[in-house]
Every structure is written in structure tokens, then in C-alpha cells.
Amino acid sequence: MFILNRSEKLNALDFNMIQNIGPQLKAWDVSKLAKVIIMKSAGKGKFSVGDDILDILTMAKEKDPDALHFFQDKFRLVQMIATLQTPYISILDGYALGGALGLFVHGPFRIATEKTIFAVPEVSLGAFLNSGSSFYLSRLDGEIGTYLALTGARLEGIDTFFAGVTTHYIPSSRLAVLEDKLVDLETSEHEIIQKVLEKFVDKRSNIEKVGFQKEIREKIDRCFAFNTVEDIISALEKEKSTTWTRETKQKLLSMSPTSLKVTLKALRKARKLSFIECLRMEFDLIQKFLVTKDFHEGVESTFMSKPRRKPQWQPSRLTDISEEEIDQLYFTEPAPNTLSLLSNLDFRTYPHARYGLPSEEEVRLAITGEGPEFAIEGRLKEREEVLTWFIKGHKGKWGVREKILDILDRKTISTTKESSGNLIWKQ
């Protein structure tokens, strides 16, 4: 069991922590005695607030090579976590922000509680995503990942479960008994661990929303589907003016224009890249961001200025840096150092995705019949047919029914008088 215990820094990850976790993780993975690996934090209300960004900035200013070595070693650790043979369980009982996601999002079992708060605030700091974030966020349903990455918006508690950030929602009060149960296991079979976790989930019946309110989720998918930040803002302006549209537009306009544009372009590229290819792209971009004025300004204005002040981005407006300039500065020429990993293990889809909720894409493939498993018997046409297929396929996992109904409500229409008959996927 790993316990993050740097409470005075809210468990911010530093070089020493990364160097300590990696070798022990590898030792446990090859040991026949380690049946499961648990990652959690000491104290209440915090998992980790991400990388120790102040430490990284100090090293970058001093041109200390450890600023880059930190990310080199961290990316090796992230790949190791993503490809472990031993079941890996992360317990996010509090803040789980930014670079901390490298310790959990690529693992098979990710537990949320009512205290979980997830966000990726990098663009607000003039920084860039890391730890495989581009791979992970680009594969969330619809445009959820784009929205979270560009706005730094928070997801809390059970919303992280329905949005796909976590795989199980378990009340904090049940964690101690769960941990005891997991430690006593004499097996490393993922399926058995899944059954154990399901016994502890909060199977509530009064679900108010499935990750997002329906109207907001539809706006996210409409507005954040564009490939430039300017077009996203224009789309928000064309929506009916609401508190959400106004606040979202204001968030985007307050962020580093450079970070916004690089992040969006990287997310779009990531959709076609493998996991390792995403890590290599992120490592390349991080080297370029470590020497940018916006990264230094974002960290200093947020964490070092007393009182906290509004960052002065350079350039300050989206119109002051073109897509061509973004390409030339960040995506054309490689950075001096290439990422060196300890393994060639790679993937394009998460190997343990079945332990979470089904994705929107899986439902689309079932209804359109484009999935290979529907080639012989044909597509799923009826609402109950779809529900039965996915509930059975996920072995009765709680939350599947609620998510499937939400997807069908938003993404399908019926060609018969009965709302449940002959479903067609909306284009």
C-alpha cells in the first residue's frame, strides 16, 4: 500500500516522491506476495493537489536539469501504473488535481467518495497537461475532456463516477472496512476485486444528474466540438445566455491564450495517438512550456504573489497568436530531449475499461451495429434491449442502467410511436 504523506504541501508530488514510488511499485508487481496495490493518502480531504509546481518553477529558473528529470521519471512511473499486471486501486478521498491524475486515471480501479474533487487547472497556470492527460481526456465521452482541460472546471463526488474519471463511488465511511477486505485477499484476479468493490458502492436510487445536467452536457458537446478556441467561444455566444455560458466564456478568456491553443491542438492530436505517443508528445511540449513567460507568470501570480494577482499573459489575447504560430512554436520542431521509457508496453484503448461504466462510443456502436460483436445478429434496436445488453455485459454493475438511460435520452430518437422502439443514433 502506498500512502501519500506530505500533508503540509497537500501531498503535492515532488521528485523524491516519484523516485520512491517507482522502484517499490516495480518490486510489488513482480512479487507473488503482493495481491493488490493500493494508492491512497494520509489525512482527510486530500489525495494530491498535483505536481509541486513551485518546486518545478524554482528548478526551471535555476536551469536545474532535475526540472526535466522530474517529468522523465514521472512519465516512466505513469506508464508503469498503466501497464501493471498486479491490480492497482486508487482511493481518491479528497482533492485529486492536475498532475496527480498520473497516479490514478490510467489504472483499472479508481474509487471516488463524497469528498473527491477532480480538476485539471494547468491552463490557468500557463502550463500544459502531463502524465498521459491528453490520452485520457481525449477519450472521455463527447467533449467532456475538452471542456475540463480548457476551463479547469471541477467535478465532485459521484459526478466523477458518471463522467468516467472514476470507476466506483464508495462513501468515505466504508473505506476502512474495504481496505481491510482488500488487504486480506488471496487473489490477484481483477474480476474478483471488481466484485468486492461493487459490494461497497453506494447504490443510491435518487440520481439527480448523470455527471452533468442534461442541458449543460448538450451545450458542452455542441460548443467544445470545434477545433479552435475562437470557434468554441463563438459557439458559446450563440447559445442562449445562461449563467453557465457566461461563466464558461469568462473562464476561457481569463486563461493563457497560448496554453489554451496548445492544449486544444494536443487533445485533437491525441485522439489518433497511442498511450506512449501521447506521453512523448506531452514530454516534448513540457520542455517548451518550462521556458515560457506564461508558465512563470501563471505560477508566480497564483502561488507567490501576496495578495494573489491576475496573471499578465504574453500574448494577452487569443487573436494575438495564430494557429500557424502555435504549430511553428510547439508542434513543428521537436524539443532537445526525447522521452526514454523503461518498457515498450503500449495501447490505444484502456485494457481494463470494462471495470468502469460503458462509454458513449460503446453505446453508439451497439445502436448503429458498427461494433464487431453485432456483425452477425445485428444492431440493438429497443431501449430494453440496449439496457439488458450493457447491464449483463457489466455483470450488474451499479450505475450502468442510469448512464445508459442518460445516453439514450440525449443521443437517440425513436422511429416508432413508442419512445422505446427502433432507436436511431442522432447524427
Side-chain angles (χ1 to χ4, degrees):
M1 180 184 294
F2 283 112
I3 301 178
L4 302 177
N5 191 16
R6 197 183 179 213
S7 56
E8 75 281 2
K9 293 285 189 177
L10 302 178
N11 294 330
L13 304 173
D14 65 7
F15 201 6
N16 185 55
M17 293 170 74
I18 297 300
Q19 289 180 314
N20 286 337
I21 294 172
Q24 185 61 67
L25 192 66
K26 185 176 182 180
W28 281 340
D29 196 37
V30 299
S31 171
K32 293 182 179 180
L33 297 177
K35 302 302 181 184
V36 298
I37 299 172
I38 299 173
M39 174 68 74
K40 57 176 284 189
S41 64
K44 297 181 179 180
K46 50 187 174 291
F47 175 75
S48 171
V49 294
D51 301 328
D52 190 335
I53 206 78
L54 282 174
D55 193 36
I56 293 169
L57 177 62
T58 299
M59 290 189 290
K61 281 185 171 182
E62 296 174 353
K63 297 184 179 180
D64 186 336
D66 278 352
L68 192 59
H69 294 160
F70 169 83
F71 289 105
Q72 171 77 66
D73 282 13
K74 189 186 179 193
F75 281 29
R76 289 176 174 175
L77 173 61
V78 168
Q79 190 213 17
M80 191 186 304
I81 290 172
T83 56
L84 286 171
Q85 297 300 307
T86 305
Y88 181 87
I89 305 163
S90 48
I91 301 174
L92 314 178
D93 192 31
Y95 284 101
L97 308 179
L101 63 73
L103 298 183
F104 64 89
V105 295
H106 310 302
F109 303 111
R110 310 179 297 277
I111 297 171
T113 74
E114 70 280 3
K115 299 176 185 177
T116 302
I117 298 175
F118 172 84
V120 277
E122 279 82 353
V123 291
S124 68
L125 301 174
F128 178 70
L129 305 170
N130 73 75
S131 303
S133 300
S134 62
F135 182 87
Y136 164 73
L137 291 169
S138 64
R139 283 158 176 78
L140 288 178
D141 288 343
E143 297 299 334
I144 290 176
T146 309
Y147 167 70
L148 294 175
L150 298 187
T151 65
R154 290 183 171 187
L155 284 176
E156 300 184 12
I158 198 169
D159 292 341
T160 67
F161 169 65
F162 282 119
V165 174
T166 54
T167 58
H168 299 79
Y169 179 71
I170 298 174
S172 185
S173 60
R174 301 179 189 177
L175 292 178
V177 178
L178 171 61
E179 288 174 28
D180 289 342
K181 184 74 172 178
L182 292 171
V183 169
D184 289 340
L185 285 175
E186 294 296 328
T187 179
S188 288
E189 291 186 32
H190 285 77
E191 294 295 339
I192 291 178
I193 292 169
Q194 171 78 337
K195 290 179 181 178
V196 171
L197 295 178
E198 284 298 314
K199 291 179 180 179
F200 286 84
V201 301
D202 182 4
K203 300 177 182 179
R204 56 177 65 183
S205 58
N206 56 333
I207 301 298
E208 296 180 0
K209 57 178 178 173
V210 179
F212 297 87
Q213 296 290 351
K214 178 185 176 183
E215 181 180 323
I216 290 177
R217 176 59 203 285
E218 290 176 337
K219 288 179 180 178
I220 288 173
D221 284 356
R222 282 197 300 269
C223 298
F224 284 81
F226 293 93
N227 293 326
T228 69
V229 181
E230 290 90 340
D231 285 343
I232 289 173
I233 291 174
S234 178
L236 286 166
E237 292 172 339
K238 292 175 182 177
E239 294 283 339
K240 179 182 177 181
S241 181
T242 63
T243 300
W244 182 85
T245 56
R246 292 191 296 271
E247 289 181 349
T248 302
K249 177 185 173 183
Q250 190 54 46
K251 280 182 184 178
L252 291 172
L253 293 174
S254 71
M255 303 297 186
S256 159
T258 301
S259 286
L260 282 173
K261 290 195 171 189
V262 173
T263 298
L264 180 57
K265 185 172 287 291
L267 287 174
R268 295 301 185 249
K269 286 179 175 291
R271 289 175 173 173
K272 298 179 181 179
L273 301 179
S274 72
F275 183 65
I276 285 181
E277 288 170 341
C278 283
L279 289 177
R280 294 194 191 285
M281 174 179 68
E282 291 175 15
F283 188 70
D284 180 271
L285 290 170
I286 282 169
Q287 293 177 65
K288 295 165 183 174
F289 268 87
L290 285 175
V291 296
T292 62
K293 292 180 179 178
D294 274 10
F295 172 62
H296 291 237
E297 172 65 12
V299 176
E300 289 175 357
S301 63
T302 303
F303 297 109
M304 301 174 70
S305 297
K306 305 294 182 184
R308 179 174 173 173
R309 62 178 173 81
K310 181 180 178 181
Q312 303 300 310
W313 307 122
Q314 296 183 37
S316 61
R317 298 179 301 175
L318 289 164
T319 53
D320 291 338
I321 184 165
S322 68
E323 297 301 315
E324 290 73 21
E325 288 174 300
I326 291 293
D327 268 332
Q328 183 177 3
L329 291 170
Y330 293 94
F331 292 96
T332 301
E333 295 295 329
N337 301 282
T338 57
L339 179 64
S340 172
L341 297 171
L342 302 177
S343 163
N344 292 323
L345 292 175
D346 199 8
F347 51 85
R348 291 185 178 273
T349 59
Y350 284 111
H352 299 296
R354 63 188 179 279
Y355 300 123
L357 294 176
S359 69
E360 206 166 89
E361 176 64 7
E362 289 178 85
V363 179
R364 185 190 72 82
L365 292 174
I367 292 174
T368 62
E370 294 175 22
E373 59 268 60
F374 305 103
I376 298 176
E377 296 185 9
R379 72 182 188 89
L380 304 182
K381 300 178 181 179
E382 307 286 332
R383 180 176 290 246
E384 285 302 318
E385 196 177 18
V386 177
L387 282 169
T388 300
W389 171 272
F390 282 100
I391 291 173
K392 183 178 179 181
H394 285 260
K395 300 181 179 180
K397 179 179 175 64
W398 182 80
V400 173
R401 180 180 182 84
E402 289 76 7
K403 181 166 183 183
I404 295 298
L405 288 174
D406 172 70
I407 294 172
L408 296 180
D409 185 38
R410 289 184 295 103
K411 304 297 293 185
T412 66
I413 56 174
S414 173
T415 59
T416 65
K417 292 182 179 180
E418 295 80 18
S419 60
S420 63
N422 200 25
L423 298 173
I424 301 295
W425 191 263
K426 292 180 182 177
Q427 298 300 319

